[in-house]
Amino acid sequence: MRKLKLGVQISGRGSNLQALIDACAQENFPAEITLVISNVEGVEGLAKAQAANIRTLTIPHKSFPNKEAFEEAIDDAHQKAGIDLICLAGFMRVISPYLISRWRGKMINIHPSLLPAFPGPHTHQRAMDAGALFSGCTVHYVEEEVDAGAIIVQAPVPIKPDDTESELAARVLAIEHKLYPYAVQLIACGFIRYQDGKIISKDTDSMPPIGLLNPALLS
Ligand code: GAR
């Protein structure tokens, strides 16, 4: 089986990257991480990738005269590495139409809310302030509008009455770590396909429940 080649873009801690690394380390997982790009030097996520012997590149946005030049360098690195799917994992720069047009349908992101609710930053506090009973996380394709592309999978997380922002964020993050590898698995196994801004093929009857290493997908 040919594995899907992932290029992961990070800006910091890289806990979702670690979840993807752990998933890819499982025998027969249908994807592998070929390249990790950070736009910030020396972040924890880079060390996580290096510890797993994954090639890393630091492409600092600040060293480029403009966004297009920065994204051209990112595009070039992914192209040269033969990447099939870009996974944004806490990549904290808005992607411009330049890069999106080159990777449309091949770039996904994880966001810590139940989109379309609470796009953008400070999602947990905003969900609590709104009196929502549930927060959660979403994996979606990346389009020009921030946090608004076709939704691949979502998972709800209950908000407790006495939650703090950091407690809720930690519980959502734990679910993100299950959801992101699951989304990659669904794409790599062909349950999810993207066309013209929509997911056109969702074989929901035979789709496995969330969870890594569903035996049916690993044979
Ligand atoms: C995660 O919670 C991810 O969902 C969020 O940043 C965090 C990165 O953590 N991403 C966004 O808010 C994107 N809009 P990590 O570096 O430990 O994976």
Side-chain angles (χ1 to χ4, degrees):
M1 178 190 58
R2 184 189 175 277
K3 294 194 179 212
L4 203 69
K5 286 183 186 296
L6 308 180
V8 183
Q9 290 182 208
I10 60 167
S11 299
R13 175 178 59 182
S15 70
N16 277 291
L17 164 66
Q18 186 66 57
L20 291 170
I21 291 172
D22 293 344
C24 291
Q26 305 293 326
E27 208 185 346
N28 294 335
F29 190 79
E32 62 190 351
I33 303 174
T34 305
L35 178 64
V36 170
I37 297 177
S38 172
N39 66 310
V40 184
E41 283 173 43
V43 292
E44 228 180 299
L46 285 168
K48 287 177 170 137
Q50 283 150 9
N53 289 320
I54 296 167
R55 194 176 144 235
T56 60
L57 270 179
T58 302
I59 304 184
H61 57 278
K62 288 181 183 160
S63 347
F64 292 85
N66 54 50
K67 194 156 200 164
E68 190 167 314
F70 166 61
E71 291 188 346
E72 208 177 295
I74 291 178
D75 178 41
D76 191 52
H78 286 309
Q79 299 284 1
K80 284 190 175 135
I83 297 304
D84 300 308
L85 181 73
I86 297 177
C87 299
L88 305 181
F91 185 73
M92 294 309 188
R93 307 294 300 171
V94 173
I95 308 285
S96 83
Y98 173 84
L99 194 61
I100 291 170
S101 66
R102 280 160 178 74
W103 290 89
R104 197 183 304 283
K106 293 177 184 173
M107 185 191 285
I108 63 175
N109 179 47
I110 187 155
H111 181 77
S113 80
L114 292 176
L115 293 173
F118 311 116
H122 311 300
T123 50
H124 305 298
Q125 191 59 53
R126 284 160 57 219
M128 289 190 296
D129 292 348
L133 291 180
F134 287 89
S135 184
C137 45
T138 303
V139 181
H140 63 95
Y141 284 100
V142 177
E143 300 283 359
E144 280 81 355
E145 202 185 328
V146 174
D147 299 328
I151 289 171
I152 300 164
V153 273
Q154 297 186 294
V157 174
I159 299 178
K160 298 178 184 175
D162 55 353
D163 254 341
T164 64
E165 186 179 9
S166 62
E167 284 166 351
L168 177 59
R171 289 206 314 286
V172 172
L173 192 65
I175 302 303
E176 291 183 46
H177 297 162
K178 295 188 195 309
L179 197 70
Y180 215 177
Y182 177 63
V184 168
Q185 194 179 27
L186 291 180
I187 292 168
C189 294
F191 284 99
I192 297 287
R193 278 199 285 132
Y194 172 98
Q195 189 176 305
D196 299 333
K198 293 202 170 91
I199 289 165
I200 54 155
S201 164
K202 232 181 185 179
D203 185 0
T204 43
D205 286 345
S206 59
M207 203 180 274
I210 183 167
L212 280 180
L213 304 180
N214 186 293
L217 294 180
L218 294 175
S219 51

